Coordinates of all heavy atoms in Angstrom, one line a residue:
V278 N 12.5 5.6 3.2 CA 11.9 6.3 2.1 C 10.9 5.3 1.4 O 11.3 4.2 1.1 CB 12.9 6.9 1.2 CG1 12.2 7.6 0.0 CG2 13.8 7.8 1.9
A279 N 9.7 5.8 1.1 CA 8.7 4.9 0.4 C 8.1 5.7 -0.7 O 7.0 6.2 -0.5 CB 7.7 4.4 1.4
P280 N 8.7 5.7 -1.9 CA 8.1 6.4 -3.0 C 6.8 5.6 -3.4 O 6.7 4.4 -3.4 CB 9.1 6.3 -4.1 CG 10.1 5.3 -3.7 CD 10.0 5.1 -2.2
R281 N 5.8 6.4 -3.8 CA 4.5 5.9 -4.2 C 4.1 6.5 -5.6 O 4.2 7.6 -5.8 CB 3.4 6.3 -3.2 CG 2.1 5.8 -3.5 CD 1.2 6.1 -2.3 NE -0.2 5.8 -2.6 CZ -1.1 5.5 -1.7 NH1 -0.8 5.6 -0.5 NH2 -2.4 5.3 -2.1
L282 N 3.8 5.6 -6.5 CA 3.4 6.0 -7.8 C 1.9 5.6 -8.0 O 1.5 4.4 -7.9 CB 4.2 5.2 -8.8 CG 3.9 5.4 -10.3 CD1 4.2 6.9 -10.7 CD2 4.8 4.5 -11.2
G283 N 1.1 6.6 -8.2 CA -0.3 6.4 -8.4 C -1.0 7.4 -9.3 O -0.4 8.4 -9.7
K284 N -2.2 7.1 -9.7 CA -2.9 8.0 -10.6 C -4.4 7.8 -10.3 O -4.9 6.7 -10.2 CB -2.7 7.5 -12.1 CG -3.5 8.2 -13.1 CD -3.0 9.6 -13.4 CE -3.8 10.1 -14.6 NZ -4.2 11.5 -14.5
A285 N -5.1 9.0 -10.0 CA -6.5 9.0 -9.8 C -7.3 9.2 -11.1 O -6.9 10.1 -11.9 CB -6.8 10.0 -8.8
F286 N -8.3 8.4 -11.3 CA -9.2 8.5 -12.4 C -10.5 8.9 -12.0 O -11.1 8.3 -11.1 CB -9.2 7.2 -13.2 CG -7.9 6.7 -13.7 CD1 -7.2 5.8 -13.0 CD2 -7.5 7.1 -14.9 CE1 -5.9 5.3 -13.5 CE2 -6.2 6.7 -15.4 CZ -5.5 5.8 -14.7
S287 N -11.1 9.9 -12.6 CA -12.5 10.4 -12.3 C -13.4 9.6 -13.2 O -13.3 9.5 -14.4 CB -12.6 11.9 -12.5 OG -11.8 12.6 -11.7
L288 N -14.5 9.0 -12.5 CA -15.5 8.3 -13.3 C -16.8 9.0 -13.2 O -16.9 10.1 -12.6 CB -15.7 6.9 -12.6 CG -14.4 6.1 -12.4 CD1 -14.7 4.8 -11.6 CD2 -13.8 5.7 -13.7
E289 N -17.8 8.5 -13.9 CA -19.1 9.2 -13.9 C -19.7 9.2 -12.5 O -19.5 8.3 -11.7 CB -20.0 8.4 -14.9 CG -19.6 8.4 -16.3 CD -20.6 7.6 -17.2 OE1 -21.7 7.3 -16.7 OE2 -20.2 7.2 -18.3
G290 N -20.4 10.3 -12.3 CA -21.1 10.4 -11.0 C -20.2 10.9 -9.9 O -20.5 10.8 -8.7
G291 N -19.0 11.4 -10.2 CA -18.0 11.8 -9.2 C -17.2 10.8 -8.5 O -16.5 11.0 -7.6
E292 N -17.3 9.5 -8.9 CA -16.6 8.4 -8.4 C -15.1 8.5 -8.8 O -14.8 9.0 -9.8 CB -17.1 7.1 -8.8 CG -18.6 6.9 -8.4 CD -19.3 5.8 -9.2 OE1 -18.8 5.5 -10.4 OE2 -20.3 5.3 -8.8
T293 N -14.2 8.0 -7.9 CA -12.8 8.0 -8.3 C -12.2 6.6 -8.1 O -12.6 5.9 -7.2 CB -12.0 9.0 -7.4 OG1 -12.2 8.7 -6.0 CG2 -12.4 10.5 -7.6
L294 N -11.3 6.3 -8.9 CA -10.6 5.0 -8.9 C -9.1 5.4 -8.9 O -8.6 6.1 -9.8 CB -11.0 4.2 -10.1 CG -10.4 2.8 -10.2 CD1 -10.9 1.9 -9.1 CD2 -10.7 2.2 -11.6
E295 N -8.3 4.8 -7.9 CA -6.9 5.2 -7.8 C -6.1 3.9 -7.6 O -6.0 3.4 -6.4 CB -6.7 6.2 -6.7 CG -5.2 6.6 -6.5 CD -5.0 7.4 -5.3 OE1 -5.9 7.7 -4.5 OE2 -3.8 7.8 -5.1
P296 N -5.4 3.4 -8.6 CA -4.5 2.3 -8.4 C -3.1 2.9 -8.0 O -2.8 4.1 -8.4 CB -4.4 1.7 -9.8 CG -4.8 2.7 -10.7 CD -5.7 3.7 -10.0
Y297 N -2.3 2.2 -7.3 CA -1.0 2.7 -6.9 C 0.0 1.6 -6.6 O -0.4 0.4 -6.3 CB -1.0 3.6 -5.7 CG -1.4 3.0 -4.4 CD1 -0.5 2.4 -3.6 CD2 -2.7 2.9 -4.0 CE1 -0.8 1.8 -2.4 CE2 -3.1 2.3 -2.8 CZ -2.1 1.8 -2.0 OH -2.5 1.2 -0.9
L298 N 1.3 1.9 -6.8 CA 2.4 1.0 -6.4 C 3.3 1.7 -5.4 O 3.5 2.9 -5.5 CB 3.2 0.6 -7.7 CG 2.5 -0.2 -8.8 CD1 3.4 -0.3 -10.0 CD2 2.1 -1.5 -8.3
E299 N 3.9 0.9 -4.5 CA 4.8 1.5 -3.5 C 6.0 0.6 -3.3 O 5.8 -0.6 -3.2 CB 3.9 1.7 -2.3 CG 4.5 2.4 -1.1 CD 3.5 2.6 0.0 OE1 3.1 1.7 0.6 OE2 3.2 3.8 0.2
V300 N 7.1 1.2 -3.1 CA 8.4 0.5 -2.8 C 9.0 1.1 -1.6 O 9.1 2.3 -1.5 CB 9.4 0.5 -4.0 CG1 10.6 -0.2 -3.6 CG2 8.7 -0.1 -5.2
K301 N 9.4 0.3 -0.6 CA 10.0 0.8 0.6 C 11.3 0.1 0.9 O 11.4 -1.1 0.7 CB 9.0 0.5 1.8 CG 9.4 1.1 3.1 CD 8.3 0.9 4.1 CE 8.6 1.6 5.4 NZ 7.5 1.4 6.4
R302 N 12.3 0.8 1.4 CA 13.6 0.3 1.7 C 14.0 0.8 3.1 O 14.0 2.0 3.3 CB 14.6 0.6 0.7 CG 16.0 0.1 1.1 CD 16.9 0.0 0.0 NE 18.0 -0.9 0.4 CZ 18.6 -1.8 -0.4 NH1 18.1 -1.9 -1.6 NH2 19.5 -2.5 0.0
E303 N 14.2 -0.1 4.0 CA 14.6 0.3 5.4 C 16.0 -0.2 5.6 O 16.4 -1.4 5.3 CB 13.7 -0.3 6.4 CG 12.3 0.2 6.4 CD 11.4 -0.5 7.4 OE1 11.9 -1.3 8.1 OE2 10.2 -0.1 7.4
I304 N 16.9 0.6 6.2 CA 18.2 0.2 6.6 C 18.4 0.2 8.1 O 18.2 1.3 8.7 CB 19.3 1.1 5.9 CG1 19.1 0.9 4.3 CG2 20.7 0.7 6.3 CD1 20.0 1.9 3.6
G305 N 18.7 -0.9 8.7 CA 18.9 -1.0 10.1 C 20.4 -0.9 10.5 O 21.3 -1.5 9.9
L306 N 20.7 0.0 11.5 CA 22.0 0.2 11.9 C 22.2 -0.3 13.4 O 22.7 0.5 14.2 CB 22.4 1.7 11.8 CG 22.3 2.2 10.4 CD1 22.5 3.7 10.4 CD2 23.3 1.6 9.4
S307 N 21.7 -1.4 13.7 CA 21.6 -1.9 15.1 C 22.9 -2.2 15.7 O 23.2 -2.0 16.9 CB 20.6 -3.0 15.2 OG 21.0 -4.1 14.4
E308 N 23.8 -2.8 14.9 CA 25.1 -3.3 15.4 C 26.2 -2.4 14.8 O 26.3 -2.4 13.6 CB 25.3 -4.8 15.1 CG 24.3 -5.7 15.8 CD 24.4 -5.7 17.3 OE1 25.6 -5.6 17.8 OE2 23.4 -5.8 17.9
A309 N 27.1 -1.9 15.6 CA 28.2 -1.1 15.1 C 29.3 -1.9 14.3 O 29.9 -1.4 13.5 CB 28.9 -0.3 16.2
D310 N 29.4 -3.2 14.7 CA 30.5 -4.0 14.1 C 30.1 -4.7 12.8 O 30.9 -5.3 12.2 CB 30.9 -5.1 15.1 CG 31.5 -4.5 16.4 OD1 31.9 -3.3 16.3 OD2 31.6 -5.2 17.4
T311 N 28.8 -4.6 12.5 CA 28.3 -5.3 11.3 C 27.9 -4.4 10.2 O 27.7 -3.2 10.4 CB 27.1 -6.3 11.6 OG1 26.1 -5.4 12.1 CG2 27.5 -7.3 12.7
L312 N 27.7 -4.9 9.0 CA 27.2 -4.1 7.9 C 25.7 -3.8 8.1 O 25.0 -4.6 8.7 CB 27.4 -4.9 6.6 CG 28.8 -5.1 6.1 CD1 28.8 -6.0 4.9 CD2 29.5 -3.8 5.9
P313 N 25.3 -2.7 7.6 CA 23.8 -2.4 7.7 C 23.0 -3.4 7.1 O 23.3 -4.0 6.0 CB 23.7 -1.0 7.0 CG 25.1 -0.5 6.9 CD 26.0 -1.6 6.9
Q314 N 21.9 -3.8 7.8 CA 20.9 -4.7 7.3 C 19.8 -4.0 6.6 O 19.3 -3.0 7.1 CB 20.4 -5.6 8.4 CG 21.4 -6.4 9.2 CD 22.1 -7.4 8.3 OE1 21.4 -8.1 7.6 NE2 23.4 -7.5 8.4
S315 N 19.4 -4.4 5.4 CA 18.3 -3.8 4.7 C 17.1 -4.7 4.6 O 17.2 -5.9 4.6 CB 18.7 -3.3 3.3 OG 18.9 -4.4 2.5
A316 N 15.9 -4.1 4.6 CA 14.7 -4.8 4.5 C 13.9 -4.1 3.4 O 13.6 -2.9 3.6 CB 13.9 -4.9 5.8
D317 N 13.5 -4.8 2.3 CA 12.7 -4.2 1.3 C 11.3 -4.7 1.3 O 11.1 -5.9 1.6 CB 13.4 -4.5 -0.1 CG 14.8 -3.9 -0.2 OD1 15.1 -2.9 0.5 OD2 15.6 -4.5 -0.9
S318 N 10.4 -3.9 0.8 CA 9.0 -4.3 0.7 C 8.4 -3.6 -0.6 O 8.9 -2.6 -1.0 CB 8.2 -4.0 1.9 OG 8.1 -2.7 2.1
A319 N 7.4 -4.2 -1.1 CA 6.7 -3.7 -2.3 C 5.2 -3.9 -2.1 O 4.8 -4.9 -1.5 CB 7.2 -4.3 -3.6
G320 N 4.4 -2.9 -2.5 CA 3.0 -3.1 -2.3 C 2.2 -2.5 -3.5 O 2.8 -1.7 -4.3
A321 N 1.0 -2.8 -3.6 CA 0.1 -2.3 -4.6 C -1.3 -2.2 -4.0 O -1.6 -2.9 -3.0 CB 0.0 -3.2 -5.8
G322 N -2.1 -1.3 -4.5 CA -3.4 -1.1 -3.9 C -4.3 -0.4 -4.9 O -3.9 0.0 -6.0
L323 N -5.6 -0.5 -4.6 CA -6.7 0.1 -5.4 C -7.7 0.7 -4.5 O -8.2 0.1 -3.6 CB -7.3 -1.0 -6.3 CG -8.4 -0.5 -7.2 CD1 -7.8 0.4 -8.3 CD2 -9.1 -1.7 -7.8
N324 N -8.0 2.0 -4.7 CA -9.0 2.7 -3.9 C -10.1 3.1 -4.8 O -9.9 3.7 -5.9 CB -8.4 4.0 -3.3 CG -7.2 3.7 -2.4 OD1 -7.1 2.7 -1.7 ND2 -6.3 4.6 -2.3
F325 N -11.3 2.8 -4.4 CA -12.5 3.3 -5.1 C -13.4 4.1 -4.2 O -13.6 3.6 -3.0 CB -13.3 2.0 -5.6 CG -14.6 2.4 -6.3 CD1 -14.6 2.9 -7.6 CD2 -15.8 2.3 -5.6 CE1 -15.8 3.3 -8.2 CE2 -17.0 2.7 -6.2 CZ -17.0 3.2 -7.5
N326 N -13.8 5.2 -4.6 CA -14.5 6.1 -3.7 C -15.8 6.6 -4.4 O -15.7 7.2 -5.5 CB -13.7 7.3 -3.3 CG -14.3 8.2 -2.3 OD1 -15.3 7.8 -1.6 ND2 -13.8 9.4 -2.1
R327 N -16.9 6.4 -3.8 CA -18.2 7.0 -4.3 C -18.6 8.0 -3.2 O -19.1 7.6 -2.1 CB -19.3 5.9 -4.4 CG -20.6 6.4 -4.9 CD -21.6 5.3 -5.2 NE -21.3 4.8 -6.5 CZ -21.9 3.7 -7.0 NH1 -22.7 3.1 -6.3 NH2 -21.6 3.3 -8.2
P328 N -18.4 9.3 -3.5 CA -18.7 10.3 -2.5 C -20.2 10.2 -1.9 O -21.1 10.1 -2.7 CB -18.5 11.6 -3.2 CG -17.6 11.3 -4.4 CD -18.0 9.9 -4.7
G329 N -20.2 10.3 -0.6 CA -21.5 10.3 0.0 C -22.1 8.9 0.2 O -23.2 8.7 0.7
S330 N -21.4 7.9 -0.3 CA -22.0 6.5 -0.2 C -21.0 5.6 0.4 O -21.3 5.2 1.6 CB -22.3 6.1 -1.7 OG -22.9 4.8 -1.6
Y331 N -19.9 5.2 -0.2 CA -19.0 4.3 0.4 C -17.6 4.4 -0.3 O -17.5 5.1 -1.3 CB -19.5 2.9 0.3 CG -19.6 2.3 -1.1 CD1 -18.5 1.7 -1.8 CD2 -20.7 2.5 -1.9 CE1 -18.6 1.2 -3.1 CE2 -20.8 2.1 -3.2 CZ -19.8 1.4 -3.8 OH -19.9 1.0 -5.0
A332 N -16.6 3.8 0.3 CA -15.3 3.7 -0.3 C -14.7 2.3 0.0 O -15.0 1.7 1.1 CB -14.3 4.8 0.4
V333 N -14.0 1.8 -1.0 CA -13.4 0.4 -0.8 C -11.9 0.6 -1.1 O -11.5 1.2 -2.1 CB -14.0 -0.6 -1.8 CG1 -13.3 -1.9 -1.7 CG2 -15.5 -0.7 -1.6
N334 N -11.1 0.1 -0.2 CA -9.6 0.1 -0.4 C -9.1 -1.4 -0.3 O -9.4 -2.1 0.7 CB -9.0 0.9 0.7 CG -9.5 2.3 0.8 OD1 -9.7 2.9 -0.3 ND2 -9.8 2.8 2.0
V335 N -8.3 -1.8 -1.3 CA -7.7 -3.1 -1.3 C -6.2 -2.9 -1.4 O -5.8 -2.2 -2.3 CB -8.3 -3.9 -2.5 CG1 -7.6 -5.3 -2.5 CG2 -9.8 -4.0 -2.5
T336 N -5.4 -3.5 -0.5 CA -4.0 -3.4 -0.6 C -3.3 -4.7 -0.4 O -3.9 -5.6 0.3 CB -3.5 -2.4 0.5 OG1 -3.8 -3.0 1.8 CG2 -4.0 -1.0 0.4
T337 N -2.2 -4.9 -0.9 CA -1.4 -6.1 -0.8 C 0.1 -5.7 -0.8 O 0.5 -4.8 -1.5 CB -1.6 -7.1 -2.0 OG1 -2.9 -7.5 -2.0 CG2 -0.7 -8.3 -1.8
D338 N 0.9 -6.2 0.2 CA 2.3 -5.9 0.2 C 3.1 -7.2 0.5 O 2.6 -8.1 1.2 CB 2.6 -4.8 1.1 CG 2.3 -5.0 2.5 OD1 2.7 -6.1 3.0 OD2 1.8 -4.1 3.2
V339 N 4.3 -7.2 0.0 CA 5.3 -8.3 0.3 C 6.4 -7.6 1.1 O 7.0 -6.7 0.6 CB 5.8 -8.9 -1.0 CG1 6.8 -10.0 -0.7 CG2 4.7 -9.4 -1.8
Q340 N 6.7 -8.2 2.3 CA 7.8 -7.7 3.1 C 8.9 -8.7 3.2 O 8.7 -9.9 3.1 CB 7.3 -7.4 4.5 CG 6.2 -6.3 4.5 CD 5.7 -6.0 5.9 OE1 5.8 -6.8 6.8 NE2 5.0 -4.9 6.0
G341 N 10.1 -8.2 3.4 CA 11.3 -9.1 3.5 C 11.9 -9.5 2.2 O 12.6 -10.5 2.2
L342 N 11.8 -8.7 1.2 CA 12.4 -9.0 -0.1 C 13.9 -8.8 0.1 O 14.4 -7.9 0.7 CB 11.9 -8.1 -1.2 CG 10.4 -8.2 -1.5 CD1 10.0 -7.1 -2.4 CD2 10.1 -9.6 -2.1
G343 N 14.7 -9.7 -0.5 CA 16.1 -9.5 -0.4 C 16.7 -10.0 0.9 O 17.9 -9.9 1.2
S344 N 15.9 -10.6 1.8 CA 16.3 -11.1 3.1 C 16.6 -12.6 3.0 O 16.1 -13.3 2.1 CB 15.3 -10.8 4.1 OG 15.6 -11.3 5.3
S345 N 17.4 -13.0 4.0 CA 17.6 -14.5 4.0 C 16.4 -15.2 4.6 O 16.3 -16.4 4.5 CB 18.9 -14.8 4.8 OG 18.7 -14.3 6.2
E346 N 15.6 -14.5 5.3 CA 14.3 -15.0 5.9 C 13.2 -15.1 4.8 O 13.3 -14.3 3.8 CB 13.8 -14.2 7.0 CG 14.8 -14.0 8.2 CD 15.0 -15.4 8.9 OE1 14.0 -16.1 9.1 OE2 16.1 -15.7 9.3
P347 N 12.3 -16.0 4.9 CA 11.2 -16.0 3.9 C 10.4 -14.7 3.9 O 10.2 -14.1 5.0 CB 10.3 -17.1 4.4 CG 11.1 -18.0 5.3 CD 12.1 -17.0 5.9
A348 N 10.0 -14.3 2.8 CA 9.1 -13.0 2.6 C 7.7 -13.3 3.2 O 7.3 -14.4 3.2 CB 9.1 -12.6 1.2
S349 N 7.1 -12.2 3.6 CA 5.7 -12.4 4.1 C 4.8 -11.6 3.2 O 5.1 -10.5 2.7 CB 5.6 -11.9 5.5 OG 5.8 -10.6 5.6
L350 N 3.6 -12.1 3.0 CA 2.6 -11.4 2.1 C 1.4 -11.0 3.0 O 0.9 -11.8 3.8 CB 2.1 -12.4 1.1 CG 1.0 -11.9 0.2 CD1 1.5 -10.8 -0.8 CD2 0.4 -13.1 -0.7
N351 N 1.0 -9.7 2.9 CA -0.1 -9.2 3.7 C -1.1 -8.5 2.8 O -0.7 -7.8 1.8 CB 0.4 -8.1 4.7 CG 1.5 -8.7 5.6 OD1 1.2 -9.7 6.3 ND2 2.6 -8.1 5.7
S352 N -2.4 -8.8 3.0 CA -3.4 -8.1 2.2 C -4.5 -7.6 3.2 O -4.7 -8.1 4.3 CB -4.1 -9.2 1.3 OG -3.1 -9.7 0.4
K353 N -5.2 -6.5 2.7 CA -6.2 -5.9 3.5 C -7.3 -5.4 2.6 O -7.0 -4.8 1.5 CB -5.6 -4.8 4.3 CG -6.6 -4.1 5.2 CD -6.0 -3.1 6.1 CE -5.4 -1.9 5.4 NZ -5.0 -0.8 6.3
V354 N -8.5 -5.6 3.0 CA -9.7 -5.0 2.3 C -10.4 -4.2 3.3 O -10.7 -4.6 4.4 CB -10.7 -6.1 1.7 CG1 -11.9 -5.5 1.1 CG2 -10.0 -7.0 0.7
Q355 N -10.7 -2.9 3.0 CA -11.3 -2.0 3.9 C -12.6 -1.4 3.2 O -12.5 -0.9 2.1 CB -10.3 -0.9 4.3 CG -10.9 0.1 5.3 CD -9.8 1.1 5.7 OE1 -8.9 1.4 4.9 NE2 -9.8 1.5 6.9
L356 N -13.7 -1.4 3.9 CA -14.9 -0.8 3.4 C -15.3 0.3 4.4 O -15.4 0.0 5.6 CB -16.0 -1.9 3.3 CG -17.4 -1.4 3.0 CD1 -17.4 -0.8 1.6 CD2 -18.4 -2.5 3.1
K357 N -15.5 1.5 3.8 CA -15.9 2.6 4.6 C -17.3 3.0 4.2 O -17.6 3.3 3.0 CB -15.0 3.8 4.4 CG -13.6 3.6 4.9 CD -12.7 4.8 4.7 CE -11.3 4.5 5.0 NZ -10.4 5.7 4.8
V358 N -18.2 3.0 5.2 CA -19.6 3.4 4.9 C -20.0 4.4 5.9 O -19.9 4.2 7.1 CB -20.6 2.1 5.1 CG1 -22.0 2.5 4.9 CG2 -20.1 1.0 4.2
P359 N -20.5 5.6 5.5 CA -20.9 6.6 6.4 C -22.2 6.2 7.2 O -23.1 5.6 6.6 CB -21.2 7.9 5.5 CG -21.5 7.3 4.2 CD -20.7 6.0 4.1
L360 N -22.2 6.6 8.4 CA -23.4 6.3 9.3 C -24.2 7.6 9.3 O -23.8 8.7 9.7 CB -23.0 6.0 10.7 CG -22.2 4.7 10.8 CD1 -21.7 4.5 12.3 CD2 -22.9 3.5 10.3
Q361 N -25.4 7.5 8.8 CA -26.3 8.7 8.7 C -27.6 8.5 9.5 O -28.1 7.5 9.6 CB -26.6 9.0 7.2 CG -25.4 9.3 6.4 CD -25.7 9.6 5.0 OE1 -26.8 9.7 4.6 NE2 -24.7 9.8 4.2

C-alpha cells in the first residue's frame, strides 16, 4: 500500500502546480520459517504543467528505510514537450 498526499494548485494562465508526499511499505513473505521482512520507502515530488506547452516532473525517493542494508536515494527529472 502506498498512500499519497498531494494538493494541486491552479495558477494564472491555466498552469497547475502539484506537490506531493508518498509513503510505501512492502512486506515480504519469502521464507516460511522466518519473520516477514519489511521494506519502507518515502518519496516527494513536484509536478508543474503548462497546458499546450510543457510539463516538468521532479521526484525523489528513499528506499530501504528501516532495513539493515544502507538506504538508497533516487531522483528523477522529467520534461514533457509536445511535438507539433
Side-chain angles (χ1 to χ4, degrees):
V278 178
R281 181 175 172 156
L282 176 64
K284 171 81 171 134
F286 298 95
S287 296
L288 306 176
E289 294 179 15
E292 301 160 339
T293 57
L294 183 66
E295 181 186 2
Y297 66 89
L298 296 172
E299 187 173 67
V300 177
K301 185 175 185 180
R302 179 164 197 137
E303 296 177 0
I304 299 174
L306 303 172
S307 60
E308 298 292 328
D310 297 342
T311 63
L312 294 174
Q314 300 294 315
S315 68
D317 299 333
S318 64
L323 181 67
N324 300 328
F325 176 78
N326 185 17
R327 178 174 280 172
S330 183
Y331 65 90
V333 177
N334 303 317
V335 179
T336 60
T337 298
D338 64 46
V339 179
Q340 297 177 345
L342 298 172
S344 173
S345 60
E346 299 293 321
S349 65
L350 176 69
N351 302 305
S352 297
K353 180 172 69 170
V354 176
Q355 184 177 30
L356 175 64
K357 295 179 183 179
V358 180
L360 299 175
Q361 297 180 7

